Amino acid sequence: MSIPNPAQPCGLRIASSLLRPWLLAAAMLVAVPAVAQPSGGPYGPIPQSYPVPDSGTVYFVAPDGDADAAGTTLSRPTTIEAAIARVVTGDSIVLRGGTYRTGGLQLNQGITLQPYLGERPVLKGTRVASEWQELRDGVWRTKWDRLFPATPLAWWRLEREGMRTPLHRFNNDMVFVDGKPLLSQGWAGELGDEGYYIDYANGYVYVGVDPAQHQIEITAHDIALHRPSREVHGKASDGKGPTIRGLTFTQYAFRAIDIEDRKPSTGPNDEPTDDPVGISPRSEHGKQVVGTTLEHVTISFTSRVAGYFRGDNVTIRNSLVSDTGTEGIYLIGSSGSLLERNIVRRNNIEQLTGYFPAAVKIFNQSYDVVVRDNLIIDHPHSNGVWYDVGNVEGVFADNYVENTLIGFFFEISKGVVVAGNVFANNEQGIRILNSAGARIYHNTFLDSQVMIDRDGRSATADHFAWHPATGPDVHERVDHVFEGNLLVGGEGYDKPLLRFDQPQAMCATQTQRPASRVDHNVYVRAGGSEPLVTWSPVPGKDCRAQYATLEAFGRATGFEANGVSLPQYHGTVFRSAELRHFELARQPEGVKAVPVSAEAAKVLGSAAPRLPGAYPAAAQDAR
């Protein structure tokens, strides 16, 4: 991890190594602004003291509880397994502090799970491995009876990715040494002190560190809590999601939480996201389990996802999702849901390729999902937040997104408002692909390209079958708006700041303009003569034109009548990017407050004119 050089000037020369999450929490704890922009927190779980609920039956549980105890008094707690089997709608389970090595808990009632007062319960999916055989060359092995072999999902393409990702990485087992995860290896001869190998045929786990000197934990459960939509424990489902507060879930193979809708939860080798299958009216999906709520929850070190969340009105707030596999939060077929003030960091920790990872995936015909004021950070091998396949009218606002492949990805979907966000050092800040009606207002981009593109992908012979049919057809991928944004390219950044694109093969047939409005944006370049904006479709060999100046772009398209370009800008742009203060350091000459559309005002919280970018005023004006 790089340590910032205090002598580094706070101008446009901003290296990615300076923008590390270790500084982020402290740097963003500033006063909450009156209008929309990243609030400065607090983000993630906040220590709480939870009073014992005063309604329903309260069951007290402890790591050393007695399964035969009633659990209705603090002095005689039962086990969490026994309490889960007994609760009915409106009851609560209060967990004493400590480590619960448990999993496979099934619950279909609308209950509350929470700590006792300020205690810290931790649910772990591992067991401690204590019996080891020393072999040669610094290798030890243990017999293990709870292994989780898996294969890539059917759509993963061996001929494209098999030379990048070894197949053993798709197994779901995890091994930890003193709490640190090891990385799977292909055989026992390449372990070192950071790898493990599993002989699935004979049931052995191999490590390259001395177990006598370390605590070694190996996954024994592939899930903590499963919320089926069918009968369990002799009770029919009540259709209500659980409320989970203040708990930690960690070290689970596959996932920690799984909320069903119509389709039963799948195994690790089956597609988990086809619920609904095919085009489904909003009224016909997301209704089996409604109202799941997570507050001040931590989920970490899950081999695949932190949780699959299905059903309408899911709320996840002030939670931490960290060190996950292919996805962190996976929201599927869920309408009217909200994610706010969470920290989601370090997804795709095994660096799988060909699996389209995302820290947050909003998937499969979800309506009106709001992702507001979250930290999406430290994802060099993963996308950030991805609304994918048939989603309608989302809101992505006031988030801080740093160090991702694509910070916000909107694909095969209709209608989203993206406003008040900061994107710093992402390969792409925003990508809008094969979608319609993305409205992008008053965001700040530092070394994070914006790309709006479309291709010929359709419902005919698609690799993912029916998925493209849920979104706009090829000729409907239009009506995008890009207004009031601040785009900054630092020294050495040579990509276009704004890019519109489509394949040359479509140039003669798809001639409609992808955007309806592009105006009031500010483009800042520290140096270089690279293209500022690219535009498509344009008749010609590449179907694309590149513009080095905003004036040239405006003459060709009629856009940016009120846009401002600041080429060769060598002064300090932001108050302090190193400390995540992304207000303008000063109001540059020619940059002025711009009008806010009625739609943007609803999300931004004010209709007053404001400076381009996520922050309404320059730092000197805010003092």
Side-chain angles (χ1 to χ4, degrees), residues 279-293:
I279 299 174
S280 171
R282 179 175 180 173
S283 61
E284 294 183 8
H285 64 265
K287 308 299 185 291
Q288 299 302 303
V289 179
V290 175
T292 298
T293 300

Side-chain angles (χ1 to χ4, degrees), residues 182-202:
L182 302 183
L183 188 63
S184 70
Q185 305 298 330
W187 66 304
E190 58 181 1
L191 299 177
D193 59 2
E194 295 187 350
Y196 71 93
Y197 163 68
I198 296 181
D199 174 0
Y200 286 96
N202 297 297

